[in-house]
């Protein structure tokens, strides 16, 4: 999968600011472990590849990969 454009990454950073609360809506990752749809967490950052890094309330820190996974801001 190609990297998202700078415009898309900028829009993600505007929407998912550090500290904002999110809910996981989709993740198809064999390493998700205890993460599942409905898990809540706080955004720590958005990297240059558009991945949203989250400190999940369940203790995980697995990122939400742009174009593969999804979450929604809840605050």
């Amino acid at each position: 999968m190609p990297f998202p454009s700078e415009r898309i990454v900028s829009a993600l950073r505007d929407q998912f600011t550090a500290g904002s609360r999110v809910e996981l809506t989709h993740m198809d990752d064999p390493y998700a472990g205890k993460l599942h749809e409905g898990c809540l967490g706080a955004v720590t950052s958005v990297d240059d590849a558009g991945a949203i890094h989250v400190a999940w309330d369940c203790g995980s820190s697995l990122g939400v990969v742009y174009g593969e996974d999804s979450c929604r801001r809840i605050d």
Side-chain angles (χ1 to χ4, degrees):
M1 170 171 237
F3 285 107
S5 69
E6 289 181 32
R7 182 181 59 78
I8 290 172
V9 172
S10 179
L12 289 169
R13 287 182 173 145
D14 288 345
Q15 181 179 2
F16 296 101
T17 56
S20 61
R21 299 286 295 166
V22 294
E23 176 183 5
L24 185 65
T25 56
H26 173 77
M27 182 173 280
D28 187 22
D29 188 323
Y31 303 105
K34 52 191 162 185
L35 274 179
H36 55 81
E37 291 180 12
C39 281
L40 304 175
V43 173
T44 58
S45 65
V46 176
D47 68 21
D48 291 340
I52 303 165
H53 296 273
V54 179
W56 297 103
D57 294 351
C58 66
S60 177
S61 59
L62 195 60
V64 178
V65 177
Y66 178 79
E68 295 291 325
D69 310 319
S70 60
C71 65
R72 68 181 185 94
R73 189 171 168 160
I74 58 173
D75 60 1

